[in-house]
């Protein structure tokens, strides 16, 4: 099965978090959104500092990682619920 590779970029530390894998972008976005709306989570404390990125694809059948381009999915502050 192929999985997308995601990581969250922290603009203040100028580094990405440890990558995580999911086969559906919608689920990765939902997880990021939940974290950004949680005032106890580091993303929720400063959502303007965090951006979710798609880094590439991992195929667990072959063990290969491919990366065509890094794509910005969403900025944390744009996902805040009122």
């Amino acid at each position: 099965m192929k999985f997308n590779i995601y990581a969250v970029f922290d603009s203040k530390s100028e580094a990405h978090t440890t990558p995580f894998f999911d086969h559906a972008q919608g689920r990765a976005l939902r997880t990021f959104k939940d974290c950004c709306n949680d005032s106890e989570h580091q993303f929720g404390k400063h959502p303007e500092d965090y951006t979710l990125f798609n880094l590439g694809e991992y195929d667990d059948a072959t063990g290969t990682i491919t990366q065509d381009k890094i794509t910005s999915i969403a900025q944390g502050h744009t996902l805040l619920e009122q």
Side-chain angles (χ1 to χ4, degrees), residues 1 57-66:
M1 177 179 272
E57 189 175 74
Y58 169 68
D59 186 333
D60 69 348
T62 63
T64 57
I65 294 174
T66 56

Side-chain angles (χ1 to χ4, degrees), residues 6 13-14 20 30-31 35 38 49-50 55 63 68 75 80:
Y6 299 96
S13 68
E14 298 181 355
F20 67 97
R30 179 177 60 201
T31 299
C35 293
D38 180 352
D49 294 343
Y50 298 99
L55 303 179
D68 294 326
Q75 295 177 319
L80 297 179

